[in-house]
Amino acid sequence: MQSITTAEQFYDVISDQSRSIVKFQAGWCPDCRVMDMFIGPIEEKYDEYEWYDVDRDVLPEIAEKYDVMGIPSLLVFENGEKKAHLHSANAKSPDQVTDFLEGITI
């Protein structure tokens, strides 16, 4: 998962033609560390997406703009538009993340 550290980089990534998933997290977040332990195989399985990571404390304006109220959150983008959002309350297990990804219709 590639890290995004600037707003410019974020907008470049989401405006790309490919589908992307951006994981919003923070270093102090225990649920984010739990997700880190299981997300690798999910990234490999859903390789039709480009996967990115944003520290919501580094880019709070981006988190606010895209309604990231809790972390970890996964946002799916295509052609600059947010297509889906897995909120933190529903992102606590591999099954929840997989069910979310299976349910995306783009």
Side-chain angles (χ1 to χ4, degrees):
M1 192 173 299
Q2 301 173 53
S3 290
I4 295 173
T5 56
T6 67
E8 180 181 2
Q9 186 183 15
F10 175 83
Y11 290 115
D12 285 348
V13 161
I14 68 163
S15 64
D16 190 1
Q17 294 296 321
S18 63
R19 292 186 199 162
S20 55
I21 294 178
V22 180
K23 178 182 78 153
F24 283 82
Q25 54 80 30
W28 51 263
C29 166
D31 288 340
C32 300
R33 301 294 67 85
V34 170
M35 180 182 272
D36 288 345
M37 292 190 297
F38 67 74
I39 200 72
I42 295 172
E43 282 181 72
E44 290 176 18
K45 181 178 178 183
Y46 294 91
D47 62 357
E48 68 269 26
Y49 297 98
E50 298 292 326
W51 289 76
Y52 298 92
D53 175 81
V54 170
D55 185 322
R56 65 126 358 256
D57 292 339
V58 172
L59 297 174
E61 69 282 0
I62 301 291
E64 184 177 328
K65 179 176 180 174
Y66 289 96
D67 300 319
V68 176
M69 301 301 198
I71 51 175
S73 286
L74 298 178
L75 280 65
V76 179
F77 291 92
E78 184 176 36
N79 297 322
E81 185 179 339
K82 182 171 92 169
K83 299 290 190 175
H85 186 152
L86 179 63
H87 297 274
S88 59
N90 302 315
K92 301 206 183 286
S93 73
D95 287 342
Q96 286 179 314
V97 173
T98 302
D99 289 348
F100 164 73
L101 294 171
E102 287 294 324
I104 294 173
T105 55
I106 297 179

